[in-house]
Amino acid sequence: MLDCGLDMTSTLNFLPLPLVQSPRLSNLPGWSLKDGNAFLDKELKECSGHVFVDSVPEFCLPETELIDLSTVDVILISNYHCMMALPYITEHTGFTGTVYATEPTMQIGRLLMEELVNFIERVPKAQSASLWKNKDIQRLLPSPLKDAVEVSTWRRCYTMQEVNSALSKIQLVGYSQKIELFGAVQVTPLSSGYALGSSNWIIQSHYEKVSYVSGSSLLTTHPQPMDQASLKNSDVLVLTGLTQIPTANPDGMVGEFCSNLALTVRNGGNVLVPCYPSGVIYDLLECLYQYIDSAGLSNIPFYFISPVANSSLEFSQIFAEWLCHNKQSKVYLPEPPFPHAELIQTNKLKHYPSIHGDFSNDFRQPCVVFTGHPSLRFGDVVHFMELWGKSSLNTVIFTEPDFSYLEALAPYQPLAMKCIYCPIDTRLNFIQVSKLLKEVQPLHVVCPEQYTQPPPAQSHRMDLMIDCQPPAMSYRRAEVLALPFKRRYEKIEIMPELADSLVPMEIKPGISLATVSAVLHTKDNKHVLQPPPRPTQPPSSKKRKRVSEDVPDCKVLKPLLSGSIPVEQFVQTLEKHGFSDIKVEDTAKGHIVLLQEAETLIQIEEDSTHIICDNDETLRVRLRDLVLRFLQKF
Amino acid sequence: MDPECSKLLPALCAVLADPRQLVADDTCLEKLLDWFKTVMETESSLHLLQDHPCLMELLSHVLKTQDVSPRVLSFVLRLVGIFAAQEDCFQYLQQGELLLGLFGETGALSWTAWNMPSVRSGWIQGLCSLAHHPSALHFLADSGAVDTIFALQGDPSLFVASAASQLLVHILALAMQGGASGSPISEAAAWPICAQKIVNHVEESLHSKATPQVTQALNVLTTTFGRCHSPWTGVLWGRLSPPVACLFERDPIPAVHSLMDLLLSVASPQELRTQAFGVLLQPLACILKATTQAPGPPGLLDGTAGSSLTVDALLSSKSACVGLLCQTLAHLEELQMLPQCPCPWPQVPLLGATVTILRLCDGSVDPSSSMGGRLCGTLGGCVRVQRAALDFLGTLSQGTSPLELVLEVFAVLLKTLESPESSPTVLKKAFQATLRWLQNSHKTPNCSDLSPDALLFLGELFPILQKRLCSPCWEVRDSALEFLTHLIRHWGGQADFREALHSSEVPTLARQLLQDPESYVRASAVGTAGQLSSRGLQATSASPENPLAQQGLLMDLMHILSTDSEGFPRRAVLRVFTEWLRDGHADVIRDTEWFVATVLQAVSRDLDWEVRMQGLELAQVFLIQAMGQPSLHCPYTVGLPEATSPRPHPEFLQTLCRLPLFEFAFCALLDCDRPVAQKACDLLLFLRDKTTHCSGPQEAGDSPNSASVEAVLQRWREGEQGQPLGDLEPEAMLAILRSLDLEGLQGKLAKSSDHVEKSPQSLLQDMLATVGILEENEADCY
């Protein structure tokens, strides 16, 4: 199984979980059907024309109908965003296999899960709405609730215990490490340049190679650069995790982010940045490190609020081997690879587990707050939205591309606060993909259907799709696709002592042949030729005859023949040996030599020779021996 | 030639003729040639050769053996050309068979060093210098050189090829001017042989099927018509315009852009111009066609049914598409400013096409065809095309456009200025184009006012400008400030504009940029703040975060002048101050004396010479305001009754001493940077001129005070500048002023400071010295 991401956009249908009692949210009117029927008003609330489920947020799980997940042997994880559904799979499906991931992926993935669990568990909600999920009722609801798919499979968040148990099934791997899977294939993670420890995977046998490219980046940010060379010579390249905003260039967006941040703060407003606790935030902090002095923002406090803020900032500094070259070399100076260490030291950046506690003592405005969750449905961000939403001096800047910012903002409307959307997605765009494919030249590309046509909103942008030759094979949800290659060869090892016994014969310059008699031993998809068991030594001469009868395998081996028969010389030889009245006929595949007198016919073809004579075994043997003179035996 | 150089010349010639001596520095040879050229301007080259046999020896040595380096070979070819530019010397060299030996078919062409582009280039340049008289024309015709030049037009070295074209033009002009004594020769048969040969060649090339040949011919013609407009060029065009016109009938049209260059340089007939213009418009017509749902916009497509080849070029590859569009836009921009600009000028479709190109670049166009879709992909985010289109858009602001198109222009400009994808260079161009459209578009009867649409536009522009002033990219902050300064300069007096500006945060943000870490930005911010203040538009609400804003801007600028570590902001401050002084800014006239004194004090210590220059400029403005304009020493004003300038009030002279302006000017006179000293000299001359009638004995120069000043000045010259001149009376100052030989000093300063090092003698010595070292090393080896 390749990755197991969690679709969190389902949470956008739910009301935010406020950290402190929000009169606004708790006083929202219940929703009632057109006919005035208000039986759902406890479950559904209305806010500025949108309807939300008033319940603990729920998540949309990976597809489980199509395949029995208990039969999955291995899960390969490409980056920490792509493992958020892991506890659902490892704990509730009978899964007994192994999960492979790099260490930063596992550690930061743990932080993301821990944050998620924490955000949800610390605001216990008594109510759990389920009535609306009834198919007959769902039909009556307004969009987008009406159109939500498979709502019956939506699940509440997992617990920390489940997270720990899931993570214990992870086997840590390093870049370029070769891992044997049941002898059938070898898998290898390669740096994908997108996030700390993010990987592409190569799955290969001795004669076939499949690359799984997911969430890769060619930009120079903090992670180790993408390893492209190792992807060459792939039979199939499975491509996914491209940028979600192909028209936005991350550099321009970072500029936009900085400009709007400075503009707000200079006018005395506060800036809220809903974000994940790891990833782009490191790059943003680095940009701000260079920018704040020049923008005259040295006195503005930057707050990073997350239950895992401290761990995230510290983890980033210790994963030196997973960082880009520049940052790696800092470690040897020794200096912290990320400049946020200095921001913390100089008190410009302060981090807190939550808004409760120390933060409330230190809090000064105007300020810049980085906090989660980017969906605006849970986490400390909910509090700041409620706090700052009423003033047009303040700005919320969306940098994470995973959620539609308009949908995220819906339960906060009407909103006076300024909203800026500058999604920063460093993953491959289509120009980069086409360069990559030119460089790597896979025989076939397999990708989601969405990448093979321009985005629906920009149907004329023929440049916003994968353009490769032969055209990419696309797949859609729940579709089964046969990869376009067949396994034709297997590799077989020969045991040294058996190899020793071989006597190769050169039949052409550079080509030698040898016959092998051996036992093929197959175990764990590995094939080994071992010397055949020696015929057990006859204990006495008396029994020799019986033994030879009992072991029919040990027949005298006939030699193998090779070479071709030159017809003219063969005819001459026949004549020398007293055959006369010989006629040669050419056929499509070779020749027929007719011995009319003897009423015999010799059919010579490229790969076979037949002697057809009428019950004259002596003649046949004579002719056979003459034929054999022209062939090599070994 | 001065005797010193004459003495050094034989040794130098020997060095040049010696293959073992390497002339390491090419520039020496260039300087040597320049020097010979200067000498030949005043002296006879024949005499020079006769007086310095070493020169002839060098030439014949090279002719005989050619064992010198290609560099020296090239040098000799060029040198001979310079000598032979004078007809008598040409004859002299001709007699010695030297010219044919060097430039003829058995000359340089047969040398192995001919492979070197530098030698071929030397050959061409030699001929170019030589071709200055009728004898040279005969030589060129007889020696076969012209055919060689034809061949060199296709030389692999671009420098050689281009020089060959230039030479052909030069020869053609010489032949035609020499032959035509006043009246144009209309009969081709009567043209000199050289000219006939060249014109025939050009004509043949125009008929050629090979595009490079056509390009070469077109380039020769473009240069010819670009250089001169004698009667003969008219005759020439009369003969060659038919084959040029024929080029338009070919498909594809060869060398389109060389053709355009030619047609831009020549007053071609209307019909041909229209045809050429049609070709030029094709790419834009294609763009419009690919992006419009309607059957087609009127104007641009009429008669220019988009050639399939243009479409192919647009779609074949990104680089072809970008190249074609940039060239087209640049040509159109150039064309609009020329007298031969087509009439009627298709302003509306051109504007439409340009806006469309910009929208293709920012991805906001919704193309109707698959070609449009491809163009979208090709041009998306293409900075080069964006820049070219914005330049042309700016030019188009001069024409009259319908309101709906003007609104589209404003919209696309806003989009470009707003887009996070716009690069700093694109933004700069967008700001420039915006300014031009604001200035020119849709003028109301009261022509300096902004139109209501422009005001609406400004309402949307200011928030964007606010964001750009906070950009992390300093180039963007800088061009935003420059743009703002221009805006205020133009419309700072207009009430609507002032209101729009005041209701934004722009003035506050601009003021904050006085503390920007980037010096260029600080400099621009100084200019903007100065302009805002001049117009009474300074930021009203001082932010508590910024203590500087609470003080007056004057103090801020004084602070920058005395503390900023970079020169640009300090220069900018002085420019603002000078302007304030000139315009009588309220903060300045409140206490002008204090203002000037404080500025001069800061400036006198400044390490940047431009700041000190600006300081003198400010002092001059101050003096002019008090003493009147400098009297003109212009011969044409002699007849006019000279207005007697008011005699300066004695108190004013006291003020000058107190400031101390005298001291400042005297110090500047000794400045190690020549322009400062020159400026100080001018200022003191002005002062002396204005004070000639002042009281005070002429013999004041003998007074003890002035003696002490002179002593101090003398010590200053010797490098003890820390010492003040002390409190001095105006009389003493005036005495010094009179005693100084300012005219003499002015003359000395007018010469460049390296005039000694640049002398030919020094050049020859230098060249010999480098060789001398070689000789020493050689001796060591033995």
Side-chain angles (χ1 to χ4, degrees):
Chain A
M1 180 166 171
L2 302 174
D3 285 328
C4 53
L6 186 60
D7 181 358
M8 293 201 242
T9 54
S10 58
T11 61
L12 292 173
N13 294 298
F14 292 78
L15 271 189
L17 293 180
L19 271 178
V20 276
Q21 171 72 14
S22 160
R24 186 187 71 87
L25 286 173
S26 43
N27 291 333
L28 285 176
W31 181 80
S32 48
L33 291 170
K34 272 182 197 146
D35 59 7
N37 195 333
F39 73 102
L40 279 167
D41 70 345
K42 289 275 182 297
E43 290 201 353
L44 301 180
K45 303 282 175 187
E46 195 168 349
C47 175
S48 298
H50 288 84
V51 176
F52 298 94
V53 182
D54 188 9
S55 167
V56 184
E58 295 177 341
F59 303 98
C60 181
L61 270 52
E63 178 67 48
T64 50
E65 300 289 310
L66 198 63
I67 167 175
D68 178 2
L69 289 174
S70 68
T71 63
V72 171
D73 295 312
V74 167
I75 301 178
L76 304 179
I77 304 289
S78 51
N79 63 65
Y80 46 74
H81 287 297
C82 293
M83 58 185 280
M84 296 298 280
L86 203 56
Y88 292 117
I89 291 170
T90 58
E91 307 311 301
H92 299 287
T93 63
F95 173 83
T96 54
T98 314
V99 183
Y100 289 99
T102 62
E103 190 180 358
T105 301
M106 199 270 272
Q107 295 292 6
I108 298 174
R110 176 197 296 276
L111 294 183
L112 291 182
M113 292 181 188
E114 201 180 314
E115 188 192 56
L116 191 66
V117 172
N118 191 306
F119 279 161
I120 291 180
E121 285 186 352
R122 74 184 175 186
V123 194
K125 196 153 182 140
Q127 183 176 342
S128 181
S130 54
L131 209 50
W132 71 277
K133 291 187 182 177
N134 184 311
K135 278 203 170 132
D136 294 330
I137 295 173
Q138 198 196 351
R139 275 190 295 119
L140 306 172
L141 303 181
S143 282
L145 282 176
K146 185 173 67 180
D147 309 318
V149 284
E150 315 232 5
V151 288
S152 58
T153 66
W154 290 10
R155 290 287 173 270
R156 287 178 165 217
C157 189
Y158 33 71
T159 64
M160 212 46 224
Q161 198 185 353
E162 288 167 326
V163 169
N164 288 329
S165 166
L167 295 178
S168 69
K169 298 186 171 67
I170 293 184
Q171 177 89 45
L172 296 181
V173 289
Y175 287 151
S176 303
Q177 186 183 331
K178 295 184 165 63
I179 303 127
E180 283 282 337
L181 296 186
F182 319 109
V185 289
Q186 206 178 45
V187 295
T188 310
L190 303 173
S191 173
S192 79
Y194 167 54
L196 276 176
S198 68
S199 329
N200 292 321
W201 289 88
I202 295 179
I203 306 160
Q204 61 188 338
S205 66
H206 291 294
Y207 299 100
E208 296 85 17
K209 178 170 172 180
V210 176
S211 302
Y212 173 56
V213 174
S214 160
S216 301
S217 175
L218 291 170
L219 302 180
T220 317
T221 56
H222 59 271
Q224 229 185 70
M226 179 178 175
D227 179 354
Q228 294 182 63
S230 309
L231 298 172
K232 284 187 184 173
N233 305 319
S234 299
D235 296 286
V236 171
L237 187 141
V238 183
L239 182 63
T240 183
L242 303 187
T243 175
Q244 306 205 40
I245 325 284
T247 50
N249 156 26
D251 277 344
M253 288 302 159
V254 169
E256 195 74 359
F257 172 80
C258 289
S259 305
N260 283 298
L261 184 145
L263 187 61
T264 305
V265 173
R266 283 192 190 164
N267 289 332
N270 301 293
V271 176
L272 178 62
V273 188
C275 61
Y276 292 115
S278 177
V280 173
I281 187 172
Y282 302 141
D283 296 322
L284 286 180
L285 288 176
E286 184 153 0
C287 282
L288 288 171
Y289 168 78
Q290 291 157 1
Y291 178 61
I292 49 180
D293 287 331
S294 75
L297 304 177
S298 321
N299 299 321
I300 302 298
F302 287 73
Y303 300 118
F304 176 19
I305 303 169
S306 160
V308 296
N310 188 33
S311 319
S312 164
L313 292 173
E314 285 182 0
F315 268 139
S316 65
Q317 307 283 22
I318 58 163
F319 287 128
E321 57 171 303
W322 307 89
L323 293 173
C324 64
H325 177 75
N326 263 353
K327 295 212 179 304
Q328 273 193 26
S329 50
K330 279 197 175 176
V331 179
Y332 297 105
L333 290 177
E335 270 176 26
F338 285 93
H340 56 237
E342 197 182 319
L343 289 175
I344 295 169
Q345 235 170 26
T346 53
N347 261 337
K348 286 175 182 163
L349 174 67
K350 295 181 182 182
H351 53 89
Y352 304 89
S354 91
I355 54 168
H356 300 301
D358 288 347
F359 174 73
S360 40
N361 302 327
D362 299 349
F363 183 48
R364 269 194 302 123
Q365 301 188 75
C367 64
V368 180
V369 171
F370 294 88
T371 188
H373 185 270
S375 66
L376 305 191
R377 293 301 178 271
F378 36 83
D380 302 87
V381 74
V382 176
H383 176 73
F384 288 99
M385 284 304 297
E386 293 287 327
L387 184 70
W388 289 342
K390 297 170 210 83
S391 165
S392 63
L393 280 180
N394 303 324
T395 307
V396 53
I397 308 183
F398 292 86
T399 56
E400 301 289 354
D402 288 354
F403 301 92
S404 144
Y405 78 105
L406 289 174
E407 282 182 46
L409 288 170
Y412 298 94
Q413 299 295 356
L415 199 67
M417 182 181 207
K418 281 196 287 287
C419 304
I420 306 288
Y421 182 56
C422 25
I424 297 169
D425 195 333
T426 57
R427 287 173 287 182
L428 298 176
N429 63 29
F430 290 99
I431 298 172
Q432 291 161 341
V433 165
S434 87
K435 275 188 192 157
L436 176 74
L437 293 181
K438 262 185 206 146
E439 173 78 24
V440 172
Q441 296 197 322
L443 291 182
H444 299 278
V445 175
V446 174
C447 66
E449 192 181 30
Q450 289 88 329
Y451 297 158
T452 58
Q453 54 210 28
Q458 289 158 301
S459 55
H460 61 281
R461 292 293 297 268
M462 305 304 283
D463 55 322
L464 301 185
M465 55 183 268
I466 290 180
D467 180 20
C468 64
Q469 278 310 323
M473 300 177 65
S474 65
Y475 59 87
R476 59 176 80 182
R477 189 187 163 99
E479 187 179 358
V480 178
L481 201 69
L483 292 187
F485 66 85
K486 271 197 179 139
R487 300 193 67 166
R488 289 172 193 277
Y489 301 104
E490 281 290 351
K491 191 168 183 170
I492 297 180
E493 273 182 30
I494 299 184
M495 296 292 284
E497 53 267 44
L498 179 63
D500 257 357
S501 70
L502 298 183
V503 186
M505 211 175 82
E506 192 167 44
I507 55 153
K508 266 187 197 172
I511 297 179
S512 299
L513 291 179
T515 52
V516 185
S517 304
V519 171
L520 178 64
H521 183 265
T522 295
K523 185 185 172 190
D524 285 349
N525 294 304
K526 289 240 178 289
H527 312 290
V528 182
L529 282 180
Q530 295 175 340
R534 291 210 183 128
T536 32
Q537 284 300 320
S540 64
S541 52
K542 275 190 250 167
K543 287 185 179 173
R544 188 178 294 167
K545 200 178 173 192
R546 268 192 72 189
V547 169
S548 63
E549 280 167 4
D550 282 353
V551 187
D553 290 352
C554 292
K555 269 192 259 175
V556 177
L557 289 166
K558 283 183 185 168
L560 296 174
L561 302 174
S562 72
S564 58
I565 302 164
V567 180
E568 273 182 34
Q569 287 175 34
F570 179 56
V571 171
Q572 283 165 15
T573 311
L574 288 176
E575 281 168 349
K576 259 187 215 165
H577 284 80
F579 294 96
S580 58
D581 200 8
I582 304 171
K583 255 179 93 177
V584 178
E585 277 176 22
D586 289 349
T587 66
K589 289 179 178 173
H591 309 278
I592 296 176
V593 179
L594 283 170
L595 307 178
Q596 290 176 333
E597 201 181 326
E599 287 184 3
T600 296
L601 177 152
I602 306 169
Q603 210 175 10
I604 304 172
E605 290 179 357
E606 198 183 349
D607 50 4
S608 62
T609 304
H610 294 276
I611 300 167
I612 303 162
C613 54
D614 196 17
N615 278 331
D616 189 347
E617 179 64 8
T618 332
L619 177 63
R620 192 192 69 81
V621 171
R622 255 182 85 200
L623 287 173
R624 182 199 69 189
D625 290 342
L626 289 178
V627 167
L628 287 178
R629 283 188 188 190
F630 289 93
L631 297 173
Q632 289 164 306
K633 302 170 221 27
F634 57 94
Chain B
M1 186 181 293
D2 69 72
E4 290 298 322
C5 293
S6 285
K7 259 189 246 167
L8 291 168
L9 206 52
L12 185 76
C13 286
V15 166
L16 290 175
D18 185 350
R20 291 173 306 158
Q21 305 283 8
L22 282 178
V23 183
D25 185 3
D26 253 354
T27 55
C28 286
L29 295 176
E30 293 295 327
K31 285 179 191 164
L32 209 54
L33 283 171
D34 286 344
W35 172 58
F36 274 114
K37 254 183 233 166
T38 334
V39 172
M40 245 72 96
E41 276 166 16
T42 52
E43 290 180 35
S44 151
S45 43
L46 183 59
H47 292 163
L48 194 76
L49 275 184
Q50 285 167 342
D51 295 347
H52 299 90
C54 61
L55 286 171
M56 276 309 281
E57 277 162 28
L58 170 66
L59 302 185
S60 30
H61 172 81
V62 168
L63 185 62
K64 248 183 271 165
T65 62
Q66 304 122 37
D67 62 348
V68 293
S69 69
R71 244 175 225 182
V72 176
L73 284 177
S74 171
F75 166 78
V76 165
L77 287 166
R78 292 162 68 188
L79 183 65
V80 171
I82 295 171
F83 284 137
Q86 294 181 11
E87 200 157 6
D88 52 352
C89 189
F90 174 86
Q91 309 287 7
Y92 174 75
L93 291 168
Q94 177 83 314
Q95 282 159 21
E97 297 276 298
L98 198 93
L99 286 183
L100 213 54
L102 286 173
F103 293 103
E105 274 164 0
T106 54
L109 276 74
S110 62
W111 301 345
T112 42
W114 184 253
N115 293 332
M116 305 293 292
S118 63
V119 173
R120 298 198 295 279
S121 167
W123 184 87
I124 293 174
Q125 290 180 42
L127 282 181
C128 201
S129 311
L130 170 154
H132 274 95
H133 39 73
S135 312
L137 279 180
H138 292 298
F139 172 75
L140 288 167
D142 300 341
S143 65
V146 175
D147 291 315
T148 312
I149 304 171
F150 291 156
L152 286 176
Q153 278 185 292
D155 199 272
S157 155
L158 286 180
F159 292 104
V160 173
S162 150
S165 275
Q166 301 277 347
L167 179 56
L168 280 183
V169 174
H170 179 78
I171 296 172
L172 184 63
L174 175 72
M176 297 300 268
Q177 276 156 354
S181 50
S183 62
I185 323 163
S186 50
E187 283 302 310
W191 288 354
I193 297 172
C194 255
Q196 280 186 34
K197 209 166 175 176
I198 293 172
V199 173
N200 289 342
H201 170 73
V202 169
E203 198 169 8
E204 272 168 35
S205 305
L206 286 175
H207 288 298
S208 165
K209 293 274 173 285
T211 304
Q213 304 254 310
V214 179
T215 312
Q216 286 164 14
L218 291 171
N219 288 348
V220 167
L221 290 180
T222 308
T223 321
T224 307
F225 297 122
R227 265 167 61 127
C228 60
H229 294 285
S230 315
W232 66 267
T233 51
V235 179
L236 182 66
W237 180 238
R239 171 162 165 196
L240 291 180
S241 58
V244 169
C246 281
L247 293 177
F248 285 106
E249 282 150 27
R250 295 205 212 160
D251 193 17
I253 298 172
V256 171
H257 287 278
S258 298
L259 195 53
M260 293 308 142
D261 281 330
L262 171 63
L263 294 170
L264 286 174
S265 71
V266 66
S268 52
Q270 176 68 36
E271 195 187 333
L272 191 58
R273 276 207 313 253
T274 314
Q275 216 172 0
F277 192 53
V279 173
L280 198 52
L281 292 180
Q282 269 177 11
L284 299 191
C286 289
I287 296 264
L288 277 182
K289 200 175 163 190
T291 50
T292 338
Q293 268 101 13
L300 210 54
L301 290 168
D302 303 346
T304 61
S307 140
S308 62
L309 266 125
T310 314
V311 180
D312 288 350
L314 277 175
L315 294 179
S316 63
S317 73
K318 178 161 181 162
S319 61
C321 176
V322 169
L324 182 63
L325 281 180
C326 287
Q327 268 183 323
T328 303
L329 291 165
H331 270 305
L332 284 169
E333 191 187 345
E334 198 183 349
L335 192 64
Q336 205 205 1
M337 298 182 230
L338 290 178
Q340 58 262 46
C341 155
C343 187
W345 173 259
Q347 171 81 4
V348 173
L350 280 181
L351 194 54
T354 313
V355 168
T356 307
I357 291 176
L358 283 170
R359 291 177 56 209
L360 282 167
C361 291
D362 69 27
S364 65
V365 91
D366 190 4
S368 56
S369 64
S370 68
M371 180 183 159
R374 299 242 329 248
L375 279 172
C376 226
T378 312
L379 295 179
C382 177
V383 173
R384 262 185 71 199
V385 172
Q386 266 180 311
R387 285 197 304 234
L390 284 167
D391 271 340
F392 185 51
L393 187 70
T395 316
L396 285 173
S397 69
Q398 285 163 340
T400 319
S401 322
L403 179 61
E404 60 273 20
L405 255 182
V406 176
L407 295 181
E408 269 191 52
V409 169
F410 281 149
V412 82
L413 284 172
L414 273 181
K415 176 95 202 286
T416 311
L417 290 171
E418 200 275 330
S419 166
E421 307 291 319
S422 298
S423 77
T425 51
V426 167
L427 280 177
K428 196 176 171 88
K429 297 270 183 203
F431 278 131
Q432 286 166 351
T434 305
L435 203 64
R436 295 181 73 171
W437 273 92
L438 284 174
Q439 280 167 348
N440 292 322
S441 73
H442 215 69
K443 287 168 185 158
T444 49
N446 183 2
C447 64
S448 67
D449 279 3
L450 285 161
S451 66
D453 307 308
L455 274 169
L456 274 178
F457 170 72
L458 278 182
E460 290 183 66
L461 180 68
F462 283 135
I464 295 172
L465 202 57
Q466 279 174 198
K467 190 181 81 183
R468 292 302 180 190
L469 288 173
C470 296
S471 167
C473 175
W474 72 262
E475 289 93 338
V476 174
R477 299 197 296 274
D478 195 48
S479 37
L481 281 170
E482 279 176 6
F483 172 71
L484 180 60
T485 312
H486 285 298
L487 279 186
I488 301 163
R489 186 165 288 142
H490 275 99
W491 296 286
Q494 206 200 326
D496 292 335
F497 174 85
R498 295 171 71 90
E499 201 186 309
L501 184 66
H502 260 311
S503 59
S504 75
E505 299 291 333
V506 168
T508 318
L509 291 169
R511 176 79 178 264
Q512 285 174 2
L513 290 179
L514 286 177
Q515 290 153 296
D516 199 275
E518 184 58 50
S519 63
Y520 295 110
V521 180
R522 290 200 298 281
S524 298
V526 166
T528 312
Q531 194 62 232
L532 278 168
S533 170
S534 296
R535 301 297 193 132
L537 280 164
Q538 54 271 62
T540 41
S541 61
S543 126
E545 293 298 317
N546 182 6
L548 257 180
Q550 287 166 323
Q551 305 164 9
L553 177 64
L554 179 67
M555 292 316 292
D556 291 359
L557 296 188
M558 284 290 187
H559 183 74
I560 290 176
L561 181 61
S562 49
T563 57
D564 202 301
S565 58
E566 298 280 338
F568 303 105
R570 304 201 305 270
R571 290 178 206 168
V573 168
L574 271 178
R575 274 195 298 275
V576 167
F577 280 172
T578 311
E579 204 176 314
W580 281 7
L581 182 64
R582 202 176 273 140
D583 300 345
H585 189 281
D587 288 353
V588 172
I589 53 173
R590 195 172 300 131
D591 189 349
T592 313
E593 192 181 325
W594 171 85
F595 171 74
V596 176
T598 317
V599 172
L600 292 188
Q601 197 190 5
V603 169
S604 59
R605 290 191 306 259
D606 205 294
L607 295 175
D608 185 305
W609 69 268
E610 281 194 50
V611 173
R612 299 197 297 276
M613 270 274 275
Q614 281 282 338
L616 286 163
E617 174 71 28
L618 182 132
Q620 194 174 13
V621 170
F622 177 67
L623 289 176
I624 289 172
Q625 281 181 344
M627 304 170 104
Q629 287 295 328
S631 49
L632 293 164
H633 298 287
C634 173
Y636 302 109
T637 58
V638 170
L640 296 170
E642 203 172 315
T644 48
S645 55
R647 182 177 294 184
H649 201 276
E651 272 180 29
F652 180 66
L653 291 176
Q654 290 281 3
T655 310
L656 292 188
C657 289
R658 218 172 28 245
L659 280 176
L661 194 140
F662 274 117
E663 189 176 332
F664 176 66
F666 284 137
C667 296
L669 200 57
L670 302 174
D671 202 290
C672 51
D673 286 296
R674 199 159 55 92
V676 180
Q678 266 178 312
K679 181 97 189 162
C681 199
D682 293 345
L683 183 82
L684 288 170
L685 276 166
F686 168 77
L687 253 179
R688 197 185 67 187
D689 190 37
K690 291 287 179 189
T691 54
T692 32
H693 307 294
C694 280
S695 61
Q698 287 296 311
E699 59 277 70
D702 303 330
S703 79
N705 256 349
S706 79
S708 69
V709 171
E710 277 205 73
V712 173
L713 278 177
Q714 185 56 40
R715 280 210 301 282
W716 273 31
R717 272 196 197 110
E718 287 154 16
E720 300 172 34
Q721 294 210 2
Q723 208 162 352
L725 289 169
D727 283 337
L728 291 167
E729 290 304 306
E731 288 75 17
M733 286 299 182
L734 292 178
I736 300 171
L737 200 54
R738 287 189 201 107
S739 68
L740 285 172
D741 176 17
L742 289 172
E743 281 86 359
L745 197 59
Q746 204 177 25
K748 257 192 236 168
L749 289 169
K751 283 189 191 167
S752 71
S753 54
D754 61 347
H755 69 275
V756 179
E757 284 72 21
K758 264 169 97 178
S759 72
Q761 190 187 338
S762 137
L763 171 67
L764 298 185
Q765 277 168 342
D766 281 354
M767 288 182 74
L768 286 172
T770 47
V771 173
I773 292 165
L774 257 173
E775 276 168 4
E776 273 169 34
N777 290 345
E778 222 167 26
D780 281 350
C781 293
Y782 288 118

